């Protein structure tokens, strides 16, 4: 290798090191470590659920076995009831903001109504899109997707119930 190539290689190495150090010094957004199962509160009813935090799901889903779709003031709405493990039930009515096309594991696509719900996990309370689906045969009535998790949570897949809901009513 001649001196010119060696000089160029050294210069590129210095630039690369300086460039990667500038990324390393960038501030990281504050995040909370949560387990893959956490307690969550749904508002405005303040009902508590055991929720599965799933980084593989883009959108949050809630159990709505038979959502009733209807029209109110020219807009589509949904009405459904949910029951938690303590047999507490609430009926929720909310406008449908869109329909989600979900690709299932076995290749079939499913269309689901999507509403906005406020959810609290730990001390994080967000209003996010939630799709309605029959989860009655699953262990968790509420599946929290990346739309809720991003920017706030890191998921510890070896832990459960690291947080308690602590959001103001």
């Amino acid at each position: 290798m001649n001196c010119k190539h060696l000089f160029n290689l050294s210069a590129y190495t210095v630039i690369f090191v300086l460039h990667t150090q500038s990324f390393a010094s960038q501030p990281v957004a504050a995040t909370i470590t949560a387990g893959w199962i956490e307690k969550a509160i749904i508002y405005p009813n303040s009902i508590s659920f055991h929720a599965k935090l799933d980084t593989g799901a883009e959108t949050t889903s809630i159990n709505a076995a038979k959502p009733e779709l209807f029209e109110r003031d020219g807009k589509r709405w949904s009405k459904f009831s949910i029951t938690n493990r303590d047999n507490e039930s609430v009926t929720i009515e909310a406008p449908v903001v869109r329909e989600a096309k979900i690709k299932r594991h076995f290749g079939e696509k499913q269309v689901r109504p999507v509403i906005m719900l406020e959810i609290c996990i730990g001390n994080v309370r967000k209003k996010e899109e939630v799709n309605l689906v029959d989860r009655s045969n699953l262990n968790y009535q509420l599946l929290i997707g990346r739309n809720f998790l991003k920017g706030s949570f890191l998921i510890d897949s070896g832990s459960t119930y690291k947080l308690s809901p602590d959001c103001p009513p």
Side-chain angles (χ1 to χ4, degrees):
M1 203 183 270
N2 66 32
C3 287
K4 183 178 177 185
H5 288 344
L6 188 57
F7 175 77
N8 285 341
L9 182 60
S10 296
Y12 289 131
T13 303
V14 169
I15 291 169
F16 176 75
V17 168
L18 291 174
H19 183 70
T20 56
Q21 283 180 345
S22 70
F23 280 119
S25 64
Q26 295 295 321
V28 176
T31 54
I32 300 165
T33 301
W36 70 280
I37 304 295
E38 292 291 347
K39 282 195 175 180
I41 296 177
I42 303 289
Y43 295 99
N45 309 85
S46 298
I47 187 168
S48 178
F49 284 90
H50 298 264
K52 178 179 178 182
L53 281 56
D54 186 353
T55 60
E58 182 177 340
T59 309
T60 298
S61 301
I62 195 164
N63 183 32
K66 296 178 184 171
E68 177 187 331
L69 298 172
F70 62 97
E71 194 169 306
R72 178 184 290 164
D73 300 326
K75 295 185 180 186
R76 287 186 31 170
W77 280 63
S78 180
K79 178 180 178 178
F80 61 98
S81 295
I82 52 175
T83 304
N84 65 14
R85 290 184 181 180
D86 298 326
N87 282 330
E88 298 170 320
S89 292
V90 295
T91 299
I92 295 176
E93 288 187 17
V96 175
V97 295
R98 68 181 182 92
E99 287 187 337
K101 293 177 181 79
I102 308 294
K103 184 178 176 185
R104 305 292 303 242
H105 292 292
F106 40 87
E108 175 185 313
K109 289 191 179 182
Q110 187 179 47
V111 177
R112 301 177 187 171
V114 177
I115 63 169
M116 298 297 289
L117 278 181
E118 270 189 82
I119 301 170
C120 169
I121 297 175
N123 64 357
V124 176
R125 183 173 174 167
K126 295 182 183 182
K127 189 170 192 170
E128 290 289 345
E129 288 188 349
V130 177
N131 69 62
L132 309 179
V133 64
D134 185 352
R135 296 183 58 83
S136 56
N137 62 340
L138 300 173
N139 290 331
Y140 301 98
Q141 303 291 303
L142 180 61
L143 180 130
I144 304 293
R146 292 188 309 271
N147 67 329
F148 185 89
L149 300 171
K150 68 183 170 192
S152 299
F153 295 95
L154 292 175
I155 307 306
D156 178 351
S157 62
S159 297
T160 58
Y161 303 109
K162 293 178 69 75
L163 307 170
S164 294
D166 188 26
C167 299

PDB file of all heavy atoms in Angstrom, residues 148-167:
ATOM      1  N   PHE A 148     -48.996   2.654  20.705  1.00  0.00           N
ATOM      2  CA  PHE A 148     -49.014   3.158  22.081  1.00  0.00           C
ATOM      3  C   PHE A 148     -47.615   3.126  22.697  1.00  0.00           C
ATOM      4  O   PHE A 148     -47.233   4.024  23.433  1.00  0.00           O
ATOM      5  CB  PHE A 148     -49.979   2.327  22.941  1.00  0.00           C
ATOM      6  CG  PHE A 148     -50.141   2.868  24.338  1.00  0.00           C
ATOM      7  CD1 PHE A 148     -51.110   3.808  24.624  1.00  0.00           C
ATOM      8  CD2 PHE A 148     -49.310   2.439  25.366  1.00  0.00           C
ATOM      9  CE1 PHE A 148     -51.252   4.318  25.913  1.00  0.00           C
ATOM     10  CE2 PHE A 148     -49.440   2.928  26.647  1.00  0.00           C
ATOM     11  CZ  PHE A 148     -50.417   3.878  26.923  1.00  0.00           C
ATOM     12  N   LEU A 149     -46.841   2.099  22.408  1.00  0.00           N
ATOM     13  CA  LEU A 149     -45.552   1.876  23.069  1.00  0.00           C
ATOM     14  C   LEU A 149     -44.452   2.835  22.622  1.00  0.00           C
ATOM     15  O   LEU A 149     -43.610   3.230  23.437  1.00  0.00           O
ATOM     16  CB  LEU A 149     -45.082   0.438  22.817  1.00  0.00           C
ATOM     17  CG  LEU A 149     -45.999  -0.676  23.326  1.00  0.00           C
ATOM     18  CD1 LEU A 149     -45.504  -2.027  22.815  1.00  0.00           C
ATOM     19  CD2 LEU A 149     -46.083  -0.665  24.835  1.00  0.00           C
ATOM     20  N   LYS A 150     -44.456   3.216  21.353  1.00  0.00           N
ATOM     21  CA  LYS A 150     -43.326   3.963  20.785  1.00  0.00           C
ATOM     22  C   LYS A 150     -43.063   5.267  21.539  1.00  0.00           C
ATOM     23  O   LYS A 150     -43.973   5.992  21.914  1.00  0.00           O
ATOM     24  CB  LYS A 150     -43.536   4.232  19.300  1.00  0.00           C
ATOM     25  CG  LYS A 150     -44.659   5.179  18.979  1.00  0.00           C
ATOM     26  CD  LYS A 150     -44.838   5.334  17.481  1.00  0.00           C
ATOM     27  CE  LYS A 150     -46.128   6.091  17.236  1.00  0.00           C
ATOM     28  NZ  LYS A 150     -46.511   6.039  15.848  1.00  0.00           N
ATOM     29  N   GLY A 151     -41.769   5.476  21.787  1.00  0.00           N
ATOM     30  CA  GLY A 151     -41.339   6.703  22.446  1.00  0.00           C
ATOM     31  C   GLY A 151     -41.515   6.721  23.947  1.00  0.00           C
ATOM     32  O   GLY A 151     -41.055   7.642  24.609  1.00  0.00           O
ATOM     33  N   SER A 152     -42.177   5.719  24.508  1.00  0.00           N
ATOM     34  CA  SER A 152     -42.434   5.723  25.950  1.00  0.00           C
ATOM     35  C   SER A 152     -41.940   4.476  26.669  1.00  0.00           C
ATOM     36  O   SER A 152     -41.622   4.540  27.847  1.00  0.00           O
ATOM     37  CB  SER A 152     -43.942   5.854  26.216  1.00  0.00           C
ATOM     38  OG  SER A 152     -44.441   7.058  25.683  1.00  0.00           O
ATOM     39  N   PHE A 153     -41.914   3.332  25.981  1.00  0.00           N
ATOM     40  CA  PHE A 153     -41.640   2.067  26.662  1.00  0.00           C
ATOM     41  C   PHE A 153     -40.566   1.241  25.978  1.00  0.00           C
ATOM     42  O   PHE A 153     -40.486   1.207  24.756  1.00  0.00           O
ATOM     43  CB  PHE A 153     -42.914   1.207  26.718  1.00  0.00           C
ATOM     44  CG  PHE A 153     -44.013   1.791  27.549  1.00  0.00           C
ATOM     45  CD1 PHE A 153     -45.010   2.534  26.960  1.00  0.00           C
ATOM     46  CD2 PHE A 153     -44.054   1.601  28.920  1.00  0.00           C
ATOM     47  CE1 PHE A 153     -46.032   3.086  27.722  1.00  0.00           C
ATOM     48  CE2 PHE A 153     -45.058   2.140  29.687  1.00  0.00           C
ATOM     49  CZ  PHE A 153     -46.055   2.885  29.085  1.00  0.00           C
ATOM     50  N   LEU A 154     -39.780   0.556  26.782  1.00  0.00           N
ATOM     51  CA  LEU A 154     -38.940  -0.557  26.364  1.00  0.00           C
ATOM     52  C   LEU A 154     -39.559  -1.791  27.002  1.00  0.00           C
ATOM     53  O   LEU A 154     -39.929  -1.757  28.184  1.00  0.00           O
ATOM     54  CB  LEU A 154     -37.503  -0.397  26.858  1.00  0.00           C
ATOM     55  CG  LEU A 154     -36.704   0.733  26.245  1.00  0.00           C
ATOM     56  CD1 LEU A 154     -35.330   0.837  26.916  1.00  0.00           C
ATOM     57  CD2 LEU A 154     -36.520   0.522  24.753  1.00  0.00           C
ATOM     58  N   ILE A 155     -39.680  -2.871  26.257  1.00  0.00           N
ATOM     59  CA  ILE A 155     -40.347  -4.069  26.774  1.00  0.00           C
ATOM     60  C   ILE A 155     -39.307  -5.099  27.195  1.00  0.00           C
ATOM     61  O   ILE A 155     -38.464  -5.494  26.403  1.00  0.00           O
ATOM     62  CB  ILE A 155     -41.304  -4.673  25.719  1.00  0.00           C
ATOM     63  CG1 ILE A 155     -42.263  -3.604  25.200  1.00  0.00           C
ATOM     64  CG2 ILE A 155     -42.055  -5.866  26.296  1.00  0.00           C
ATOM     65  CD1 ILE A 155     -43.052  -2.873  26.256  1.00  0.00           C
ATOM     66  N   ASP A 156     -39.410  -5.524  28.462  1.00  0.00           N
ATOM     67  CA  ASP A 156     -38.574  -6.598  29.006  1.00  0.00           C
ATOM     68  C   ASP A 156     -39.366  -7.887  28.844  1.00  0.00           C
ATOM     69  O   ASP A 156     -40.306  -8.152  29.604  1.00  0.00           O
ATOM     70  CB  ASP A 156     -38.266  -6.319  30.476  1.00  0.00           C
ATOM     71  CG  ASP A 156     -37.433  -7.406  31.138  1.00  0.00           C
ATOM     72  OD1 ASP A 156     -37.217  -8.477  30.518  1.00  0.00           O
ATOM     73  OD2 ASP A 156     -37.009  -7.199  32.286  1.00  0.00           O
ATOM     74  N   SER A 157     -38.990  -8.693  27.852  1.00  0.00           N
ATOM     75  CA  SER A 157     -39.768  -9.893  27.530  1.00  0.00           C
ATOM     76  C   SER A 157     -39.651 -10.979  28.588  1.00  0.00           C
ATOM     77  O   SER A 157     -40.400 -11.947  28.558  1.00  0.00           O
ATOM     78  CB  SER A 157     -39.333 -10.452  26.166  1.00  0.00           C
ATOM     79  OG  SER A 157     -37.969 -10.830  26.219  1.00  0.00           O
ATOM     80  N   GLY A 158     -38.771 -10.818  29.559  1.00  0.00           N
ATOM     81  CA  GLY A 158     -38.632 -11.794  30.634  1.00  0.00           C
ATOM     82  C   GLY A 158     -39.371 -11.396  31.901  1.00  0.00           C
ATOM     83  O   GLY A 158     -39.285 -12.099  32.911  1.00  0.00           O
ATOM     84  N   SER A 159     -40.092 -10.278  31.871  1.00  0.00           N
ATOM     85  CA  SER A 159     -40.768  -9.786  33.072  1.00  0.00           C
ATOM     86  C   SER A 159     -42.235  -9.501  32.824  1.00  0.00           C
ATOM     87  O   SER A 159     -42.644  -9.252  31.693  1.00  0.00           O
ATOM     88  CB  SER A 159     -40.112  -8.479  33.550  1.00  0.00           C
ATOM     89  OG  SER A 159     -38.791  -8.695  33.924  1.00  0.00           O
ATOM     90  N   THR A 160     -42.997  -9.523  33.888  1.00  0.00           N
ATOM     91  CA  THR A 160     -44.407  -9.131  33.857  1.00  0.00           C
ATOM     92  C   THR A 160     -44.692  -8.223  35.041  1.00  0.00           C
ATOM     93  O   THR A 160     -43.997  -8.272  36.057  1.00  0.00           O
ATOM     94  CB  THR A 160     -45.346 -10.351  33.921  1.00  0.00           C
ATOM     95  OG1 THR A 160     -45.062 -11.084  35.109  1.00  0.00           O
ATOM     96  CG2 THR A 160     -45.166 -11.268  32.709  1.00  0.00           C
ATOM     97  N   TYR A 161     -45.678  -7.387  34.898  1.00  0.00           N
ATOM     98  CA  TYR A 161     -46.189  -6.521  35.969  1.00  0.00           C
ATOM     99  C   TYR A 161     -45.086  -5.736  36.670  1.00  0.00           C
ATOM    100  O   TYR A 161     -44.988  -5.727  37.889  1.00  0.00           O
ATOM    101  CB  TYR A 161     -47.011  -7.336  36.971  1.00  0.00           C
ATOM    102  CG  TYR A 161     -48.158  -8.060  36.320  1.00  0.00           C
ATOM    103  CD1 TYR A 161     -48.139  -9.444  36.167  1.00  0.00           C
ATOM    104  CD2 TYR A 161     -49.251  -7.366  35.816  1.00  0.00           C
ATOM    105  CE1 TYR A 161     -49.179 -10.112  35.556  1.00  0.00           C
ATOM    106  CE2 TYR A 161     -50.310  -8.028  35.200  1.00  0.00           C
ATOM    107  CZ  TYR A 161     -50.261  -9.401  35.076  1.00  0.00           C
ATOM    108  OH  TYR A 161     -51.292 -10.070  34.475  1.00  0.00           O
ATOM    109  N   LYS A 162     -44.289  -5.024  35.899  1.00  0.00           N
ATOM    110  CA  LYS A 162     -43.245  -4.161  36.458  1.00  0.00           C
ATOM    111  C   LYS A 162     -43.817  -2.802  36.873  1.00  0.00           C
ATOM    112  O   LYS A 162     -43.190  -2.085  37.643  1.00  0.00           O
ATOM    113  CB  LYS A 162     -42.122  -3.946  35.442  1.00  0.00           C
ATOM    114  CG  LYS A 162     -41.331  -5.192  35.118  1.00  0.00           C
ATOM    115  CD  LYS A 162     -40.259  -4.950  34.087  1.00  0.00           C
ATOM    116  CE  LYS A 162     -39.129  -4.109  34.571  1.00  0.00           C
ATOM    117  NZ  LYS A 162     -38.169  -4.718  35.452  1.00  0.00           N
ATOM    118  N   LEU A 163     -44.990  -2.458  36.356  1.00  0.00           N
ATOM    119  CA  LEU A 163     -45.574  -1.131  36.577  1.00  0.00           C
ATOM    120  C   LEU A 163     -46.969  -1.259  37.170  1.00  0.00           C
ATOM    121  O   LEU A 163     -47.649  -2.261  36.966  1.00  0.00           O
ATOM    122  CB  LEU A 163     -45.672  -0.377  35.249  1.00  0.00           C
ATOM    123  CG  LEU A 163     -44.399  -0.260  34.414  1.00  0.00           C
ATOM    124  CD1 LEU A 163     -44.729   0.303  33.038  1.00  0.00           C
ATOM    125  CD2 LEU A 163     -43.389   0.609  35.122  1.00  0.00           C
ATOM    126  N   SER A 164     -47.398  -0.234  37.847  1.00  0.00           N
ATOM    127  CA  SER A 164     -48.786  -0.123  38.287  1.00  0.00           C
ATOM    128  C   SER A 164     -49.368   1.114  37.611  1.00  0.00           C
ATOM    129  O   SER A 164     -48.684   2.150  37.529  1.00  0.00           O
ATOM    130  CB  SER A 164     -48.871   0.059  39.805  1.00  0.00           C
ATOM    131  OG  SER A 164     -48.416  -1.092  40.453  1.00  0.00           O
ATOM    132  N   PRO A 165     -50.621   1.034  37.143  1.00  0.00           N
ATOM    133  CA  PRO A 165     -51.220   2.228  36.524  1.00  0.00           C
ATOM    134  C   PRO A 165     -51.234   3.379  37.520  1.00  0.00           C
ATOM    135  O   PRO A 165     -51.660   3.226  38.666  1.00  0.00           O
ATOM    136  CB  PRO A 165     -52.647   1.782  36.184  1.00  0.00           C
ATOM    137  CG  PRO A 165     -52.588   0.299  36.139  1.00  0.00           C
ATOM    138  CD  PRO A 165     -51.531  -0.108  37.133  1.00  0.00           C
ATOM    139  N   ASP A 166     -50.706   4.529  37.100  1.00  0.00           N
ATOM    140  CA  ASP A 166     -50.578   5.674  37.992  1.00  0.00           C
ATOM    141  C   ASP A 166     -50.862   6.960  37.221  1.00  0.00           C
ATOM    142  O   ASP A 166     -50.053   7.880  37.219  1.00  0.00           O
ATOM    143  CB  ASP A 166     -49.166   5.699  38.596  1.00  0.00           C
ATOM    144  CG  ASP A 166     -49.017   6.746  39.673  1.00  0.00           C
ATOM    145  OD1 ASP A 166     -50.020   7.109  40.310  1.00  0.00           O
ATOM    146  OD2 ASP A 166     -47.874   7.233  39.866  1.00  0.00           O
ATOM    147  N   CYS A 167     -52.000   6.995  36.532  1.00  0.00           N
ATOM    148  CA  CYS A 167     -52.387   8.175  35.772  1.00  0.00           C
ATOM    149  C   CYS A 167     -53.535   8.879  36.499  1.00  0.00           C
ATOM    150  O   CYS A 167     -54.413   8.207  37.062  1.00  0.00           O
ATOM    151  CB  CYS A 167     -52.846   7.791  34.370  1.00  0.00           C
ATOM    152  SG  CYS A 167     -51.582   6.971  33.390  1.00  0.00           S
TER     153      CYS A 167
END
